[in-house]
């Protein structure tokens, strides 16, 4: 799998490109995005096991560990690697990023050092050699405050410079106010005029007629020429001193950064290793987050050559069905060295191709190092290669028809396929004359069988089904079909050939019965007989399965009853023995008493010479004795009946408890699904809304623009969007992944390509004005108008335009020109000639 083109084609056929994209979208760093793109399919068992274990451990951490940091993963390699060279130094933004990285590194290493041995062993072993940098962090904390600004106390010289700056700024402000008040008192300046700031200079607005009466430098004038902006001569010196102090401040900050860079340079190899470690953690975390989305687990690596996919689900299809509130039907497939090729047949749109792609995608994910959506009791075989023939590869460029493409793929399989190969062939042999196509397909199948190749193949050919019915390495599989409702069930049944149900589907679609009968006659009695037998087998198999299911349920019930009553049976037998012993003893006593009573009665009768009265009394006494005996027997029978009724009541109670337990398990499963969805929502919300850090990527909620955080304060976040730096409220932006940033950046900043000019565009060009006046508009409204104006100009292929914004305070001019310089297609932005408006008009030229 060294050919990149063939790998990409294979991944697209299996759908793995979408899985790789899902992982990439979860990455926060460029390092992790690159790792996702470069990670490859492997046949090394040790490497596969390592990748799976790392991902599975991270999955558990994301599920159960609240102390593990999931934010703060940013790219630092782009400035750490060059820093190893002498003469290089960090910029202030890079220093802020380094601070964020070291804080995240400290949290990650502290987490793994604080857990017990044997818990997350692979990740802990991975984190063990990573160094911490307390002294580097201490130095950074001495330079930067909590918001990423350079502290006054970063050096004694910087402290003195900034103190002087504050003093000078206070002095110049007081001096300007004094000059303004004096000018107002002399009537040279309007009473409501205020000090104006332009390009960092404090200026006094003076009527043009009085501009010579104030000593100073005319710095600018209004567009009408009626107002001049003057910098008084007495503050010029102070202003120059402030400029010198500001230059000194920048030089001192640069010196501090150079000094820190020299200090940290010996640490850079270890810092590069630490940044790579965090990038690797970010990559593993992205895989684990996708595994949680797919509800995936770690399978067992088979060492017997037996593949057992239990309750396997196609992750992409499952997510699509979940959005439609539908459930996916899990797939169970078993391939062994003796039965190593599964031949699936069944109706169209019955799920054959989905089964094939599910096996292929899960196998590729497994050997790429991803957890797979199956039962964790599943066993997976490791293959050297996966070869596919899925979809239509016909090509006009290569003069390939559908069947020619199929034969080309079969040729490649015949050259490379062996017992360490998994082949996936969809609609085997189709695309040509059925008799020849079926014969070629059977010959290829026989060869694959002989070589011991593993595979999943879908087909409609009856001769292939008959081949798989023999004592060979191929086993039939049927996509089940509801014959009564004429609807697919999307359930795979191994060991049974499927039926295309072509005639039944034709009847359901309303094709005339005469045509269907004619088609059956043309198909021939043998074909119809085979199909009829297949249907009969399917019906009988279904009836047999239902009976077997009932028998299994009955056996299970009987086993439960047997287990529960085995002890009770012993107790009953013991009780029976005790009752019988007691009954024998009582019977003996009763008989003895009865004999005595009878003898006494006979003796009394004889002694009284059978007097009528005495005989009657003797009989009465004997009847009373027998009545007591009968009552005792009745009581014993009643107690037995009550015992039986109690046992029946116990059985009924057990049934109710079992029913309640089943309902409880169903409710728990439903609740677990709700909790999984809620956890995913909370993870997404936590990622989007967690406190932002320098270097992280963001998106503006209002307009979708993307950028990078360069500074964070308690009330605002400073971000770079293109080449424009602006402050935003934390509530108006959200964190995004590195991949989302790249995708949005490409969409936003893609250069405008040439467009076809039609009549409507020609008319717009004739009516288009090359001049836009935004004077008096607010900055946001003006920028919206400028953006539309420039878009139209570029689309209409205008070479240059004029934007009139006035001079005013200069803020509108500055924002408009910043925006224009960041706009693709703009070649230059400049002020108009002084004769035609100067700084009150901007000239825009396009590429």
């Amino acid at each position: 799998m060294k050919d990149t083109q063939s790998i990409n084609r294979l991944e697209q056929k299996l759908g793995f490109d979408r899985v790789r994209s899902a992982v990439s979208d979860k990455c926060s760093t460029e390092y992790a995005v690159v790792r996702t793109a470069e990670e490859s399919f492997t046949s090394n068992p040790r490497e596969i096991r390592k990748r799976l274990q790392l991902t599975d451990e991270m999955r558990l951490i994301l599920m159960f560990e609240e102390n593990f940091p999931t934010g703060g993963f940013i790219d630092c390699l782009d400035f750490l690697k060059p820093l190893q060279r002498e003469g290089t130094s960090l910029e202030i933004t890079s220093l802020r990023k380094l601070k964020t990285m070291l804080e995240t590194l400290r949290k990650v290493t502290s987490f793994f050092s604080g857990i017990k041995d044997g818990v997350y062993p692979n990740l802990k072993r991975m984190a063990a050699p990573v160094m911490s940098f307390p002294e580097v962090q201490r130095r950074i904390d001495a330079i930067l405050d909590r918001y990423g600004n350079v502290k006054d106390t970063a050096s004694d010289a910087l402290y003195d410079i900034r103190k002087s700056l504050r003093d000078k700024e206070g002095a110049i402000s007081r001096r300007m106010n004094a000059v303004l008040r004096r000018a107002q008192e002399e009537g040279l300046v309007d009473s409501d005029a205020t000090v104006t700031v332009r390009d960092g200079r404090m200026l006094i607005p003076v009527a043009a007629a009085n501009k010579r009466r104030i000593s100073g430098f005319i710095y600018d004038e209004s567009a009408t020429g009626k107002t001049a902006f003057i910098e008084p001569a007495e503050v010029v010196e102070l202003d120059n001193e402030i400029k010198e102090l500001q230059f000194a401040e920048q030089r001192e900050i640069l010196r501090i950064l150079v000094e820190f860079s020299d200090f940290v340079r010996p640490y850079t190899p270890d810092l590069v290793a630490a940044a790579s470690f965090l990038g690797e953690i970010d990559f593993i975390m992205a895989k684990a987050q996708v595994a949680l989305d797919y509800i995936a687990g770690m399978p067992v690596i088979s060492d017997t050559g037996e593949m057992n996919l239990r309750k396997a689900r196609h992750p992409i299809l499952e997510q699509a069905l979940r959005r439609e509130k539908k459930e996916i039907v899990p797939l169970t497939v078993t391939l062994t060295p003796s039965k190593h090729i599964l031949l699936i047949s069944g109706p169209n749109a019955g799920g054959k191709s989905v089964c094939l792609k599910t096996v292929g995608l899960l196998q590729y994910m497994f050997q790429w190092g991803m957890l797979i959506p199956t039962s964790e009791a599943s066993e997976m075989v490791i293959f050297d290669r996966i070869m596919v023939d899925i979809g239509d590869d016909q090509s006009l460029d290569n003069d390939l028809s559908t069947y020619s493409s199929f034969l080309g793929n079969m040729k490649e399989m015949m050259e490379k396929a062996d017992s360490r190969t998994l082949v996936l062939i969809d609609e085997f042999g189709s695309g040509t004359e059925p008799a020849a196509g079926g014969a070629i397909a059977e010959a290829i199948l026989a060869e694959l069988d002989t070589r011991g190749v593993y595979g999943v193949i879908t087909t409609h050919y009856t001769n292939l089904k008959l081949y798989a019915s023999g004592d060979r390495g191929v086993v039939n599989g049927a996509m089940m079909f509801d014959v009564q409702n004429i609807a697919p069930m999307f359930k795979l049944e191994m060991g049974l050939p499927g039926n295309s149900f072509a005639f039944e589907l034709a009847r359901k679609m309303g094709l005339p019965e005469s045509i269907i009968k004619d088609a059956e006659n043309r198909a021939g009695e043998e074909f119809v007989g085979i199909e009829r037998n297949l249907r009969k087998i399917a019906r009988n198999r279904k009836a047999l399965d239902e009976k077997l299911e009932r028998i299994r349920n009955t056996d299970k019930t009987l086993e439960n009853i047997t287990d529960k009553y085995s002890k009770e049976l012993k107790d009953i037998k013991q009780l029976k023995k005790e009752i019988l012993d007691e009954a024998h003893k009582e019977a003996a006593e009763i008989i003895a008493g009865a004999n005595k009573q009878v003898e006494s009665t006979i003796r009394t009768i004889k002694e009284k010479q059978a007097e009528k009265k005495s005989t009657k009394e003797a009989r009465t006494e004997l009847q009373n004795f027998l009545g007591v005996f009968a009552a005792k027997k009745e009581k014993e029978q009643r107690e037995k009946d009550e015992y039986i009724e109690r046992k029946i009541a116990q059985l009924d109670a057990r049934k109710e408890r079992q029913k309640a337990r089943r309902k409880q398990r169903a409710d728990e499963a439903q609740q677990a699904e709700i909790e999984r969805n809620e956890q995913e929502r909370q993870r997404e919300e936590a990622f989007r809304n967690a406190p932002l850090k320098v270097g992280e990527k963001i998106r503006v909620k209002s307009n979708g623009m993307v950028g990078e955080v360069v500074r964070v304060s308690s009330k605002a976040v400073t971000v770079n969007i293109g080449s424009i730096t602006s402050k935003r409220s934390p509530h108006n932006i959200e964190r995004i992944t590195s991949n989302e940033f790249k995708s949005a950046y490409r969409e936003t900043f893609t250069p405008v390509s040439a467009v076809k000019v039609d009549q409507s565009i020609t008319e717009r060009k004739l009516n288009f004005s090359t001049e836009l006046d935004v004077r008096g508009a607010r900055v946001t409204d003006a920028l919206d108008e400028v953006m539309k104006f420039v878009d139209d100009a570029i689309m209409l292929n205008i070479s240059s335009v004029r934007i009139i914004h006035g001079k005013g305070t200069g803020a509108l001019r500055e924002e408009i020109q910043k925006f224009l310089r960041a706009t693709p297609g703009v070649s230059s932005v400049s002020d108009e000639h002084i004769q035609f408006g100067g700084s009150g008009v901007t000239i825009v030229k396009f590429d």
Side-chain angles (χ1 to χ4, degrees), residues 571-587 632-633 636-637 639-641 643 646:
D571 294 342
I572 291 172
K573 288 180 178 179
Q574 181 64 29
L575 181 62
K576 178 181 178 182
K577 183 176 180 301
E578 292 174 358
I579 291 173
L580 288 175
D581 291 344
E582 185 67 25
H584 290 154
K585 182 179 178 181
E586 289 182 2
K632 188 174 183 180
K633 284 295 184 182
E636 290 176 355
Q637 183 62 40
E639 289 176 350
K640 290 179 181 178
D641 292 342
Y643 174 78
R646 283 199 303 274

Side-chain angles (χ1 to χ4, degrees), residues 733-792:
I733 58 178
E734 62 180 357
R735 178 189 285 104
I736 59 175
T737 65
S738 190
N739 216 46
E740 288 175 315
F741 172 80
K742 289 200 306 183
S743 176
Y745 189 88
R746 282 194 297 268
E747 292 176 4
T748 305
F749 298 104
T750 299
V752 178
S753 58
V755 294
K756 182 179 178 181
V757 179
D758 59 15
Q759 185 61 32
S760 62
I761 292 179
T762 303
E763 292 177 2
R764 289 180 64 182
K765 188 170 184 178
L766 292 173
N767 298 324
F768 180 77
S769 172
T770 59
E771 189 172 276
L772 174 68
D773 190 343
V774 293
R775 284 177 293 184
R778 294 192 303 176
V779 173
T780 53
D781 296 335
L783 287 177
D784 286 342
E785 289 188 43
V786 169
M787 181 173 63
K788 295 175 184 176
F789 180 64
V790 170
D791 286 345
D792 286 345

Side-chain angles (χ1 to χ4, degrees), residues 454-466:
Y454 283 71
V456 179
I457 299 172
T458 69
T459 189
H460 287 286
Y461 285 148
T462 303
N463 63 312
L464 300 183
K465 302 177 197 177
L466 294 174

Side-chain angles (χ1 to χ4, degrees), residues 100-111:
T100 302
M101 187 205 88
L102 291 177
E103 180 61 23
T104 304
L105 180 69
R106 183 189 63 79
K107 293 178 181 179
V108 172
T109 54
S110 297
F111 173 83

